[in-house]
């Protein structure tokens, strides 16, 4: 039978577990092979994940499972996303969704974010986690490649109230050669679908001389989806099969982004120490409304939050923020 969780639409059965190796066929239904098994749980600043416009300053508990439906040549989490999920089970944690939610609360986290691999490959467990976190009033977010089917995308939107989609590139050659998929059409469709109901940020990992030519068309696509969409242009330091590739050139990428800042006011450029492009400016009056630090390699953090609620303190323009600003030590109410 076919698995319809993602656009791979793999045929399951006879020992075939799909490209992600996370599903099996049983009694005419698609089942998870490793339900409620987690590869990690850790505490992180939400800005590091990155989410810049959701619950600014908050403490997130990050989780993941194993396996992935894409085959990115530069994957930074290949040790768990590209390995055979059966081979890493000894290192996995066994927690019920209710236990995960309790642990997040105990660790002082305001929300839980699925970050390590692709949530589509563990959707039934995440639907259970969604039900538990809703009961506890704990928001759930995720990073996703959005190569899901439309039905699965609606399930993602049901579980997660804030989502960061990795829009890796647009050209067919790039998709085939570097991601192992025929094209990015489903990803573009799903960004629009998610943005209609959910808080969406988008990340594009830029690889020097590989997908930097897609900056213009991606910017145009996002401006069309909505000018309030935050776009993280991420200076990718390739890993896995591309670990000897050149690091992207900061000045060249900044120059390529400059002309799009008028149509997309929330463009960020980071993953290197001391980036100047991590603050939020008011699209109306230009005041700096949120200041952040970038320490590189996912080490971003909130510095100062000048908004009043979600409004610019100078002109009152509403900044696109999902949820409220949350103190890192929310329990104590301090930074
Ligand atoms: S989720 Fe996994 S098994 Fe299902 S279609 Fe996608 S790659 Fe195949």
């Amino acid at each position: 039978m076919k698995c319809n969780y993602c656009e791979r639409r793999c045929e399951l059965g006879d020992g075939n577990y799909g490209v992600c190796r996370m599903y099996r066929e049983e009694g005419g239904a698609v089942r998870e092979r490793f339900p409620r098994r987690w590869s990690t749980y850790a505490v992180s600043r939400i800005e590091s994940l990155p989410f810049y416009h959701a619950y600014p300053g908050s403490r997130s508990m990050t989780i993941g499972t194993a396996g992935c439906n894409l085959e990115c040549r530069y994957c930074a989490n290949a040790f768990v996303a590209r390995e055979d999920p059966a081979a890493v089970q000894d290192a996995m944690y066994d927690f019920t969704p209710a236990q995960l939610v309790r642990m997040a609360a105990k660790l002082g986290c305001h929300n839980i974010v699925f970050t390590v691999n692709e949530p589509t490959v563990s959707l039934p467990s995440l639907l259970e986690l969604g039900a538990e976190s809703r009961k506890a009033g704990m928001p759930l977010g995720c990073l996703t490649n959005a190569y899901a089917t439309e039905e699965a995308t609606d399930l993602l939107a049901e579980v997660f109230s804030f989502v960061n989609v990795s829009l890796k590139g647009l050209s067919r050659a790039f998709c085939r050669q570097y991601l192992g998929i025929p094209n990015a059409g489903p990803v573009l469709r799903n960004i629009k679908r998610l943005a209609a109901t959910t808080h969406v940020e988008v990340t594009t990992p830029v690889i020097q001389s590989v997908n930097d030519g897609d900056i213009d068309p991606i910017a145009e696509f996002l401006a069309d989806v909505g000018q309030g969409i935050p776009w993280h242009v991420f200076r990718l330091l390739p890993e896995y099969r591309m670990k000897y590739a050149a690091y992207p050139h900061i000045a060249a990428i900044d120059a390529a982004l400059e002309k799009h800042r008028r149509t997309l006011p929330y463009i960020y450029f980071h993953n290197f120490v001391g980036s100047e492009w991590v603050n939020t400016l008011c699209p109306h009056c230009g005041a700096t409304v949120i200041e952040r630090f970038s320490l590189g390699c996912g080490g971003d953090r909130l510095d100062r939050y000048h908004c009043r609620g979600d409004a610019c303190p100078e002109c009152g323009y509403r900044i696109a923020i999902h949820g409220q600003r949350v103190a890192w030590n929310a329990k104590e109410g301090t930074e």
Side-chain angles (χ1 to χ4, degrees):
M1 74 173 303
K2 259 195 195 347
C3 170
N4 285 322
Y5 281 124
C6 91
E7 290 292 349
R8 296 279 193 184
R9 299 187 192 267
C10 306
E11 200 63 52
L12 303 182
D14 294 332
N16 185 3
Y17 303 126
V19 170
C20 66
R21 295 171 283 184
M22 289 292 277
Y23 290 109
R24 64 190 164 86
E25 186 271 331
E26 185 191 289
V30 175
R31 307 258 185 234
E32 272 180 291
R33 291 178 73 201
F34 311 106
R36 298 171 224 96
R37 303 272 294 164
W38 313 95
S39 54
T40 189
Y41 67 100
V43 173
S44 176
R45 294 180 183 274
I46 200 165
E47 283 77 13
S48 290
L49 301 178
F51 282 98
Y52 277 11
H53 286 238
Y55 305 109
S58 65
R59 185 192 295 246
S60 305
M61 188 170 90
T62 58
I63 58 169
T65 56
C68 190
N69 54 344
L70 298 195
E71 297 162 280
C72 304
R73 293 178 63 81
Y74 48 81
C75 181
N77 289 337
F79 61 98
V80 66
R82 299 300 319 138
E83 283 294 327
D84 180 351
V88 296
Q89 288 306 304
D90 282 354
M92 304 286 274
Y93 300 101
D94 234 334
F95 293 126
T96 64
Q99 280 174 317
L100 274 183
V101 172
R102 277 202 299 277
M103 273 158 48
K106 217 168 167 178
L107 290 166
C109 294
H110 168 270
N111 50 69
I112 300 176
V113 185
F114 188 98
T115 58
V116 175
N117 55 315
E118 170 53 35
T120 309
V121 306
S122 301
L123 254 177
S125 290
L126 291 169
L127 283 163
E128 291 177 23
L129 178 61
E132 284 300 328
S133 66
R134 261 193 305 281
K135 271 195 258 167
M138 178 165 286
L140 269 191
C142 76
L143 314 186
T144 174
N145 58 43
Y147 198 61
T149 57
E150 287 172 278
E151 299 80 358
T153 300
D154 291 345
L155 294 177
L156 288 172
E158 190 181 313
V159 174
F160 300 107
S161 58
F162 55 107
V163 172
N164 189 322
V165 176
S166 184
L167 176 52
K168 300 165 196 293
L170 292 185
S171 82
R172 280 173 187 265
F174 171 80
C175 290
R176 268 199 309 271
Q177 211 179 325
Y178 290 90
L179 312 180
I181 57 173
N183 62 71
V187 181
L188 303 184
R189 175 198 70 204
N190 292 338
I191 288 175
K192 290 183 184 162
R193 200 171 179 94
L194 286 165
T197 58
T198 308
H199 172 76
V200 175
E201 305 194 14
V202 169
T203 295
T204 297
V206 173
I207 315 166
Q208 185 80 38
S209 310
V210 172
N211 66 347
D212 39 357
D214 282 346
I215 285 176
D216 287 352
I218 291 176
E220 283 154 23
F221 166 76
L222 293 178
D224 192 43
V225 175
Q227 296 195 330
I229 204 162
W231 183 29
H232 302 265
V233 178
F234 194 77
R235 182 173 178 254
L236 189 85
L237 313 181
E239 298 276 354
Y240 191 40
R241 296 190 180 143
M242 291 185 69
K243 62 179 160 202
Y244 301 111
Y247 286 1
H249 195 273
I250 294 170
I253 294 171
D254 177 51
L257 292 175
E258 196 48 43
K259 67 173 179 287
H260 298 295
R261 294 187 194 278
R262 282 188 302 278
T263 47
L264 271 179
Y266 305 127
I267 293 183
Y268 304 102
F269 177 30
H270 50 122
N271 200 29
F272 50 95
V273 177
S275 169
E276 295 169 20
W277 299 281
V278 290
N279 294 336
T280 301
L281 308 185
C282 172
H284 185 248
C285 73
T288 302
V289 293
I290 306 177
E291 295 180 62
R292 304 180 185 86
F293 283 132
S294 176
L295 303 173
C297 290
D300 295 1
R301 57 170 292 175
L302 185 74
D303 183 15
R304 288 185 195 157
Y305 189 80
H306 302 292
C307 294
R308 298 213 176 95
D310 62 357
C312 170
E314 298 296 330
C315 70
Y317 184 88
R318 297 203 53 189
I319 308 298
I321 300 286
H322 175 73
Q324 72 285 14
R325 186 243 191 282
V326 183
W328 171 250
N329 287 320
K331 282 183 182 162
E332 294 85 20
T334 58
E335 277 304 289

